[in-house]
Amino acid sequence: METPNPPRPPGSSRRCPFRAGRRLSTLDGGRVDNITMVMGLHPQYLSSFWKTQYLLLRMDGPLPYHKRHYIAIMAAARHRCSYLVGLHMGEFLQVGGNPEWLQGLHCAPQKLRNLNEINKLLAHRPWLITKEHIEALLKTGEDSWSLAELVQALVLLTHYHSLASFVFGCGINPEEEQEGGQSCRPPSPPSEDSMGGSGGKDAMQEVEVLMERLKLLQESQLEEEEVTQEEMATRFELEKTESLLVAPTDLGDHSLQSNVRCFVEDPEFGYKDFTRRGEQAPPTFRAQDYTWEDHGYSLINRLYPDVGQLLDEKFQVVYNLTYNTIAMHCGVDTSMLRRAIWNYVHCVFGIRYDDYDYGEVNQLLERSLKVYIKTVACYPEKTTKRMYTQFWRHFKHSEKVHVNLLLLEARMQAALLYALRAVTRYMT
């Protein structure tokens, strides 16, 4: 999907004036942390990410700094992401947080503990969030939230749920686990040589099949073949139903580490497929009824100034990011492929675009890629190195990281839309 770029050192971009927030992107001694190293393969996105995270954690806002880091801990713990939990435990103490709170959620103030239910739903089943959840947090009392505080908390929760997806999706480990302090890289995709001839040829063949399908879809779009709204709806329901069959084989050890366990209540609660046979599913979220552009953006900007604009920039940067390459092919229009990945993430969270033909998802996303996308987006703690190596076997690291950036942002936007729709319903 693109040509890799070398990571850019923090502070080297004139457009990214965040030297004051050095600990967000570097470790003591000036080494760049692993998340930044991996995101640095795409400097344009990294700049946008830094700006947003810096504003969320360091700039003026309704919530005090230590509570922002505690919310980050709560969010990361839902996905058992000890990397992010450990990082923000350190940040929490550095900004003056009470060490007793780090003994577990039961030691935190009731106001923060009241976030537990919406944290759980946002992380695993955001379609269940209602205006009643919002109302319960805002009701009058000493532990009540203001609307502005709650909106900042919702953005923080979705930011760190999605960042946990990125950490697991790219195989990022804590810095101290790297021998000699070396920063992490995603596992190397097999080369033709290392796969023993036929495996390499199979991988190359997958690229050619994808290129051919892209070409055919682009040609059929030019011919303006009409697809009825009924057929579009049918294709979405088919894709949503088929996504039930796309699940990882759960072989890994997902036991909670000690630094994570104490921040998690109801650890068994997790992602449940949006539509299961024999169960009544919630209604599909029609994207046109509550869009980021027309509804979510303005609501956040009204209650938490500047954040809406930075989130919008970040969504736009990753959605439009392209280097016009696919594996060894140059000069390729990858927009259909990027849109298919974004819309498939939204599909597994029940969001449907009326004007999108979900037949494209089946054409462009091979099964191993669908398994990877659904795992990283819905239960990232189950992601394995094998899943990473099994999809797009002839593609570069930077292209797989690009997929993970799309997953991060599509997942965040999906959860935010459900949460902000509930806030809007509460307000009206």
Side-chain angles (χ1 to χ4, degrees), residues 6 13 81 133 144 227 254 262 274 322 368 400:
S13 168
C81 187
H133 291 108
S144 67
V227 181
H254 307 301
C262 60
F274 188 78
T322 183
S368 58
K400 294 195 173 193

Side-chain angles (χ1 to χ4, degrees), residues 172-220:
I172 296 173
N173 297 311
E175 286 72 22
E176 59 270 19
E177 290 185 13
Q178 308 302 317
E179 287 183 25
Q182 292 299 308
S183 287
C184 158
R185 289 278 176 144
S188 296
S191 66
E192 184 172 350
D193 292 338
S194 67
M195 293 184 69
S198 62
K201 287 172 186 169
D202 286 347
M204 288 186 72
Q205 185 62 29
E206 288 167 6
V207 177
E208 299 311 319
V209 168
L210 177 58
M211 288 293 296
E212 184 62 26
R213 288 181 175 180
L214 259 181
K215 182 182 173 186
L216 289 172
L217 283 171
Q218 287 162 352
E219 287 172 355
S220 67

Side-chain angles (χ1 to χ4, degrees), residues 67-253:
K67 288 187 177 178
R68 302 181 198 187
H69 289 291
Y70 202 84
I71 290 167
I73 292 168
M74 290 174 65
R78 279 307 324 172
H79 284 308
R80 312 177 184 207
C81 187
S82 57
Y83 177 97
L84 290 174
V85 169
L87 180 70
H88 285 280
M89 286 174 73
E91 294 282 356
F92 172 81
L93 293 173
Q94 194 175 52
V95 296
N98 184 342
E100 287 185 15
W101 296 12
L102 298 183
Q103 293 176 26
L105 207 52
H106 62 285
C107 294
Q110 187 62 45
K111 181 173 176 174
L112 282 171
R113 291 164 64 187
N114 289 345
L115 271 185
N116 185 58
E117 183 68 14
I118 207 159
N119 177 30
K120 189 171 76 172
L121 295 177
L122 273 174
H124 308 296
R125 305 178 204 172
W127 54 86
L128 296 180
I129 295 172
T130 66
K131 69 175 183 179
E132 284 73 29
H133 291 108
I134 305 300
E135 193 171 19
L137 289 163
L138 297 175
K139 67 183 179 185
T140 308
E142 61 177 307
D143 298 318
S144 67
W145 291 74
S146 72
L147 199 50
E149 286 176 329
L150 182 56
V151 166
Q152 184 176 18
L154 293 173
V155 175
L156 281 165
L157 289 171
T158 53
H159 177 83
Y160 281 99
H161 294 150
S162 303
L163 191 55
S165 282
F166 184 80
V167 168
F168 284 113
C170 291
I172 296 173
N173 297 311
E175 286 72 22
E176 59 270 19
E177 290 185 13
Q178 308 302 317
E179 287 183 25
Q182 292 299 308
S183 287
C184 158
R185 289 278 176 144
S188 296
S191 66
E192 184 172 350
D193 292 338
S194 67
M195 293 184 69
S198 62
K201 287 172 186 169
D202 286 347
M204 288 186 72
Q205 185 62 29
E206 288 167 6
V207 177
E208 299 311 319
V209 168
L210 177 58
M211 288 293 296
E212 184 62 26
R213 288 181 175 180
L214 259 181
K215 182 182 173 186
L216 289 172
L217 283 171
Q218 287 162 352
E219 287 172 355
S220 67
Q221 218 175 45
L222 289 173
E223 292 167 11
E224 296 184 354
E225 291 181 5
E226 281 297 316
V227 181
T228 65
Q229 280 298 312
E230 291 76 12
E231 177 61 21
M232 294 274 233
T234 300
R235 290 179 184 180
F236 171 77
E237 293 301 328
L238 180 65
E239 192 57 54
K240 199 168 70 170
T241 304
E242 283 186 0
S243 76
L244 298 177
L245 308 174
V246 177
T249 305
D250 194 4
L251 300 174
D253 175 18

